[in-house]
Amino acid sequence: MANRITLNMITQRSIEEGVAMEKGKTTPEYFEACSIIEMHDDDVKALGLVPNQLVRVTSECGSVIVKTVRGRQSLYPGLAFIPQGVWANQVVPPRTQATGEPQYSGFPVTVEPVNSERRKSALELVQGAVGMWRGDQ
Amino acid sequence: MPKKVENVGCPYCGVCCDDLVVTVSDDGKKILEVENACAIGNQIFHHATGGERIRLPRLRQPDGTYKDISYEEAVDYAAKVLYNAKKPLIYGFGSTNCEGMAAAAKVAEKAGAVLDNCASICHGSSFLAIFDNGYPSCTLGETKNRADVIVYWGANPAHAHPRHMSRYSIFPRGFFTGKGHKSRKIIVIDPRHTDTAQMADIYLQVKQGHDYELFDAFRAVVRGHEIPDQVAGIKREQIVEVAEILKKARFGTIFYGMGLCHSDGRNHNVDIAISLTRDLNDFTKWTIMAMRGHYNITGPGAVWSWQYGYPYCLDLTKRDIAHMNPGETSSVDLAMRDEVDAFFNVGTDAGAHFPIDAVKHLRKHPWITVDPNINMASEISDLHIPVGIVGVEVPGIVYRMDNVPIQYRKVIDPPEGVISDEELFERIHQRLCELEAEETAKEGAKAAPEGVRAGSEP
Ligand code: SF4
């Protein structure tokens, strides 16, 4: 069993994200729709993950804690998916290949299980990143 | 008695469904029911009157909290931020009408700003490819009435454009496609086996980031050349089989999405998709269409191209002399190079949708959010100005993903006192003119630049 594996990350829209976003990005629905990761079963096994286990995803520009879920879509081994949104954008590289468009799809990340950490809320992540987080309000 | 409003347009995705029926309460204040919309469209209408709305602009205080201020104070604050900035960036417009976009462009020109829209992080690559290679496209109506082969490439409409398949591509019975789904072949090409792929007759699981090679292989086969045993994870036999289907179609449409624009290669992936479409037109009729995301994200491209000649990434720092150069004048690149000193987030949420590094850079400077709702951008702003929700509370023109303009209507009034984007930007423009006049009165008119102007006497 590996402690950590490297996967190719893609981030795109999901309908759950779309519905929750319109309800509000501070709602529990948005939190549950977006702070998740999907992988192929082989990769889940390689990391020895149990369903709903939290993992740390780290890219060249940051890291984020998300929950492992089994989605309706299927990916091939080596590919990982976080729905578009606040959690994905903690790790999306801002490089644009001179087009303006960040590298939302196809960037290397490492994935490792964590035990004593928690998923942060959208507000904590975004306000925290710019020094405006004042704790749970 | 509750009132039913028919033929209402949905202000969420680029499908721009205009067949919604919305039931409004007696007093015209509450939305009771929404018919025909998908889950997301439903949510937008119910959210408008269901939850707490922000009714006044909110200004950040030294202790980090927000304080309500009047629209007049907000307009003054916003105009002064723009006036004092050397190079402000006005970005967003995913959820605004064309009237609001035109008014915002007036503000950008007056302020010498960079004006950009969400295409910058979405279908901007499509614009670049279309400039280079043309756009053999059609309307969604033509696809519905004529197409017998549909390709979804790097697009997942089941999640991002939920009624696209039922209204226009897979299921509807059209003029020449009376058998609906039965008479159509559906091909889905995507690294993920998505809910859209479930609908496919043929699904090709292309290796992520290798779309260009697969397009190239299709082009080679269509032109009668040999290809290797496997390309981008797909076996030669499958590529040959699909190429034959494409050639034998009566009318086909390739719908493509972010899988092409967000992956390595960006505009080059779209470029070769267009080239394949052109090649196929040697055999039969093929068309291609970008699955534009928001309901009116096609709008700023149309409006600003008409005003300035460019659809996005417009540098208006020289006022009416516009230039556009993605990579240089694109929002995320400008942010990462710290080249802008004020940020206007309009009808979008850069706080949630930009890579966090870009957010950090932009937040070093004044940040103003114009949006009906609380979102991540509003929660890190200096000033949040609420506006009415287009399509629900504010009418206006929107452009569907196939560049067809549609007049949206309103079904209820905005919360009392809340103004539209258009009015807000008109008022900011007015205030900018006043600030300029005040300065001119103080200093005297700025001297005309030296040099010989075109048309002047030598
Ligand atoms: S498909 Fe798009 S436009 Fe149509 S109802 Fe759903 S979200 Fe609205």
Side-chain angles (χ1 to χ4, degrees), chain B residues 63-78:
Chain B
D63 67 356
T65 59
Y66 263 141
K67 179 181 150 220
D68 287 351
I69 60 170
S70 68
Y71 272 98
E72 202 183 327
E73 289 168 302
V75 165
D76 181 62
Y77 185 98

PDB file of all heavy atoms in Angstrom, chain B residues 63-78:
ATOM      1  N   ASP B  63     -12.816  47.069  10.948  1.00  0.00           N
ATOM      2  CA  ASP B  63     -12.798  45.845  11.766  1.00  0.00           C
ATOM      3  C   ASP B  63     -13.129  44.591  10.945  1.00  0.00           C
ATOM      4  O   ASP B  63     -13.274  43.499  11.483  1.00  0.00           O
ATOM      5  CB  ASP B  63     -13.771  45.971  12.943  1.00  0.00           C
ATOM      6  CG  ASP B  63     -15.236  46.012  12.484  1.00  0.00           C
ATOM      7  OD1 ASP B  63     -15.486  46.019  11.259  1.00  0.00           O
ATOM      8  OD2 ASP B  63     -16.130  46.019  13.352  1.00  0.00           O
ATOM      9  N   GLY B  64     -13.261  44.758   9.631  1.00  0.00           N
ATOM     10  CA  GLY B  64     -13.477  43.596   8.764  1.00  0.00           C
ATOM     11  C   GLY B  64     -14.943  43.309   8.476  1.00  0.00           C
ATOM     12  O   GLY B  64     -15.250  42.480   7.630  1.00  0.00           O
ATOM     13  N   THR B  65     -15.853  43.975   9.182  1.00  0.00           N
ATOM     14  CA  THR B  65     -17.279  43.721   8.932  1.00  0.00           C
ATOM     15  C   THR B  65     -17.772  44.620   7.796  1.00  0.00           C
ATOM     16  O   THR B  65     -17.071  45.528   7.350  1.00  0.00           O
ATOM     17  CB  THR B  65     -18.122  44.031  10.193  1.00  0.00           C
ATOM     18  OG1 THR B  65     -17.906  45.410  10.521  1.00  0.00           O
ATOM     19  CG2 THR B  65     -17.732  43.144  11.342  1.00  0.00           C
ATOM     20  N   TYR B  66     -18.997  44.334   7.343  1.00  0.00           N
ATOM     21  CA  TYR B  66     -19.616  45.154   6.306  1.00  0.00           C
ATOM     22  C   TYR B  66     -20.617  46.112   6.937  1.00  0.00           C
ATOM     23  O   TYR B  66     -21.303  45.760   7.908  1.00  0.00           O
ATOM     24  CB  TYR B  66     -20.390  44.256   5.340  1.00  0.00           C
ATOM     25  CG  TYR B  66     -19.667  43.865   4.079  1.00  0.00           C
ATOM     26  CD1 TYR B  66     -19.802  42.581   3.551  1.00  0.00           C
ATOM     27  CD2 TYR B  66     -18.896  44.792   3.372  1.00  0.00           C
ATOM     28  CE1 TYR B  66     -19.172  42.215   2.364  1.00  0.00           C
ATOM     29  CE2 TYR B  66     -18.269  44.427   2.190  1.00  0.00           C
ATOM     30  CZ  TYR B  66     -18.408  43.139   1.689  1.00  0.00           C
ATOM     31  OH  TYR B  66     -17.802  42.791   0.517  1.00  0.00           O
ATOM     32  N   LYS B  67     -20.736  47.308   6.347  1.00  0.00           N
ATOM     33  CA  LYS B  67     -21.773  48.253   6.794  1.00  0.00           C
ATOM     34  C   LYS B  67     -22.592  48.654   5.576  1.00  0.00           C
ATOM     35  O   LYS B  67     -22.037  48.921   4.504  1.00  0.00           O
ATOM     36  CB  LYS B  67     -21.070  49.484   7.389  1.00  0.00           C
ATOM     37  CG  LYS B  67     -22.012  50.560   7.873  1.00  0.00           C
ATOM     38  CD  LYS B  67     -21.217  51.756   8.418  1.00  0.00           C
ATOM     39  CE  LYS B  67     -22.025  53.028   8.189  1.00  0.00           C
ATOM     40  NZ  LYS B  67     -21.231  54.141   7.778  1.00  0.00           N
ATOM     41  N   ASP B  68     -23.920  48.669   5.731  1.00  0.00           N
ATOM     42  CA  ASP B  68     -24.784  49.095   4.620  1.00  0.00           C
ATOM     43  C   ASP B  68     -24.558  50.560   4.295  1.00  0.00           C
ATOM     44  O   ASP B  68     -24.438  51.388   5.199  1.00  0.00           O
ATOM     45  CB  ASP B  68     -26.264  48.913   5.007  1.00  0.00           C
ATOM     46  CG  ASP B  68     -26.666  47.446   5.018  1.00  0.00           C
ATOM     47  OD1 ASP B  68     -25.844  46.612   4.569  1.00  0.00           O
ATOM     48  OD2 ASP B  68     -27.771  47.137   5.472  1.00  0.00           O
ATOM     49  N   ILE B  69     -24.496  50.871   3.008  1.00  0.00           N
ATOM     50  CA  ILE B  69     -24.405  52.266   2.571  1.00  0.00           C
ATOM     51  C   ILE B  69     -25.431  52.477   1.451  1.00  0.00           C
ATOM     52  O   ILE B  69     -26.004  51.512   0.941  1.00  0.00           O
ATOM     53  CB  ILE B  69     -22.978  52.649   2.088  1.00  0.00           C
ATOM     54  CG1 ILE B  69     -22.552  51.767   0.902  1.00  0.00           C
ATOM     55  CG2 ILE B  69     -21.967  52.560   3.213  1.00  0.00           C
ATOM     56  CD1 ILE B  69     -21.278  52.228   0.206  1.00  0.00           C
ATOM     57  N   SER B  70     -25.632  53.717   1.034  1.00  0.00           N
ATOM     58  CA  SER B  70     -26.606  53.994  -0.019  1.00  0.00           C
ATOM     59  C   SER B  70     -25.985  53.701  -1.382  1.00  0.00           C
ATOM     60  O   SER B  70     -24.759  53.628  -1.525  1.00  0.00           O
ATOM     61  CB  SER B  70     -27.037  55.454   0.043  1.00  0.00           C
ATOM     62  OG  SER B  70     -25.935  56.273  -0.319  1.00  0.00           O
ATOM     63  N   TYR B  71     -26.853  53.550  -2.401  1.00  0.00           N
ATOM     64  CA  TYR B  71     -26.328  53.370  -3.766  1.00  0.00           C
ATOM     65  C   TYR B  71     -25.502  54.583  -4.193  1.00  0.00           C
ATOM     66  O   TYR B  71     -24.501  54.441  -4.890  1.00  0.00           O
ATOM     67  CB  TYR B  71     -27.482  53.124  -4.754  1.00  0.00           C
ATOM     68  CG  TYR B  71     -27.840  51.661  -4.857  1.00  0.00           C
ATOM     69  CD1 TYR B  71     -28.901  51.138  -4.144  1.00  0.00           C
ATOM     70  CD2 TYR B  71     -27.090  50.804  -5.662  1.00  0.00           C
ATOM     71  CE1 TYR B  71     -29.222  49.790  -4.226  1.00  0.00           C
ATOM     72  CE2 TYR B  71     -27.404  49.457  -5.747  1.00  0.00           C
ATOM     73  CZ  TYR B  71     -28.477  48.950  -5.022  1.00  0.00           C
ATOM     74  OH  TYR B  71     -28.771  47.615  -5.105  1.00  0.00           O
ATOM     75  N   GLU B  72     -25.922  55.773  -3.740  1.00  0.00           N
ATOM     76  CA  GLU B  72     -25.186  56.982  -4.127  1.00  0.00           C
ATOM     77  C   GLU B  72     -23.752  56.918  -3.599  1.00  0.00           C
ATOM     78  O   GLU B  72     -22.791  57.218  -4.316  1.00  0.00           O
ATOM     79  CB  GLU B  72     -25.928  58.184  -3.570  1.00  0.00           C
ATOM     80  CG  GLU B  72     -25.589  59.460  -4.309  1.00  0.00           C
ATOM     81  CD  GLU B  72     -26.288  60.653  -3.670  1.00  0.00           C
ATOM     82  OE1 GLU B  72     -27.401  60.483  -3.151  1.00  0.00           O
ATOM     83  OE2 GLU B  72     -25.688  61.733  -3.709  1.00  0.00           O
ATOM     84  N   GLU B  73     -23.625  56.509  -2.332  1.00  0.00           N
ATOM     85  CA  GLU B  73     -22.276  56.400  -1.749  1.00  0.00           C
ATOM     86  C   GLU B  73     -21.474  55.318  -2.468  1.00  0.00           C
ATOM     87  O   GLU B  73     -20.270  55.467  -2.712  1.00  0.00           O
ATOM     88  CB  GLU B  73     -22.380  56.068  -0.259  1.00  0.00           C
ATOM     89  CG  GLU B  73     -22.888  57.213   0.593  1.00  0.00           C
ATOM     90  CD  GLU B  73     -23.258  56.758   2.012  1.00  0.00           C
ATOM     91  OE1 GLU B  73     -24.116  55.855   2.150  1.00  0.00           O
ATOM     92  OE2 GLU B  73     -22.688  57.314   2.961  1.00  0.00           O
ATOM     93  N   ALA B  74     -22.148  54.231  -2.811  1.00  0.00           N
ATOM     94  CA  ALA B  74     -21.449  53.126  -3.483  1.00  0.00           C
ATOM     95  C   ALA B  74     -20.962  53.555  -4.870  1.00  0.00           C
ATOM     96  O   ALA B  74     -19.840  53.227  -5.276  1.00  0.00           O
ATOM     97  CB  ALA B  74     -22.373  51.914  -3.605  1.00  0.00           C
ATOM     98  N   VAL B  75     -21.807  54.272  -5.587  1.00  0.00           N
ATOM     99  CA  VAL B  75     -21.430  54.746  -6.925  1.00  0.00           C
ATOM    100  C   VAL B  75     -20.221  55.676  -6.814  1.00  0.00           C
ATOM    101  O   VAL B  75     -19.256  55.581  -7.580  1.00  0.00           O
ATOM    102  CB  VAL B  75     -22.635  55.467  -7.590  1.00  0.00           C
ATOM    103  CG1 VAL B  75     -22.191  56.278  -8.795  1.00  0.00           C
ATOM    104  CG2 VAL B  75     -23.698  54.443  -7.990  1.00  0.00           C
ATOM    105  N   ASP B  76     -20.243  56.551  -5.824  1.00  0.00           N
ATOM    106  CA  ASP B  76     -19.136  57.492  -5.617  1.00  0.00           C
ATOM    107  C   ASP B  76     -17.845  56.723  -5.292  1.00  0.00           C
ATOM    108  O   ASP B  76     -16.789  56.989  -5.873  1.00  0.00           O
ATOM    109  CB  ASP B  76     -19.505  58.445  -4.479  1.00  0.00           C
ATOM    110  CG  ASP B  76     -18.406  59.469  -4.239  1.00  0.00           C
ATOM    111  OD1 ASP B  76     -18.146  60.253  -5.181  1.00  0.00           O
ATOM    112  OD2 ASP B  76     -17.811  59.479  -3.146  1.00  0.00           O
ATOM    113  N   TYR B  77     -17.947  55.741  -4.407  1.00  0.00           N
ATOM    114  CA  TYR B  77     -16.782  54.947  -4.008  1.00  0.00           C
ATOM    115  C   TYR B  77     -16.209  54.212  -5.227  1.00  0.00           C
ATOM    116  O   TYR B  77     -15.016  54.252  -5.499  1.00  0.00           O
ATOM    117  CB  TYR B  77     -17.201  53.943  -2.928  1.00  0.00           C
ATOM    118  CG  TYR B  77     -16.060  53.138  -2.340  1.00  0.00           C
ATOM    119  CD1 TYR B  77     -15.468  53.504  -1.136  1.00  0.00           C
ATOM    120  CD2 TYR B  77     -15.578  51.991  -2.993  1.00  0.00           C
ATOM    121  CE1 TYR B  77     -14.422  52.755  -0.593  1.00  0.00           C
ATOM    122  CE2 TYR B  77     -14.539  51.243  -2.471  1.00  0.00           C
ATOM    123  CZ  TYR B  77     -13.965  51.621  -1.267  1.00  0.00           C
ATOM    124  OH  TYR B  77     -12.936  50.878  -0.746  1.00  0.00           O
ATOM    125  N   ALA B  78     -17.114  53.551  -5.969  1.00  0.00           N
ATOM    126  CA  ALA B  78     -16.666  52.765  -7.124  1.00  0.00           C
ATOM    127  C   ALA B  78     -16.006  53.663  -8.173  1.00  0.00           C
ATOM    128  O   ALA B  78     -14.951  53.329  -8.726  1.00  0.00           O
ATOM    129  CB  ALA B  78     -17.855  52.023  -7.736  1.00  0.00           C
TER     130      ALA B  78
END
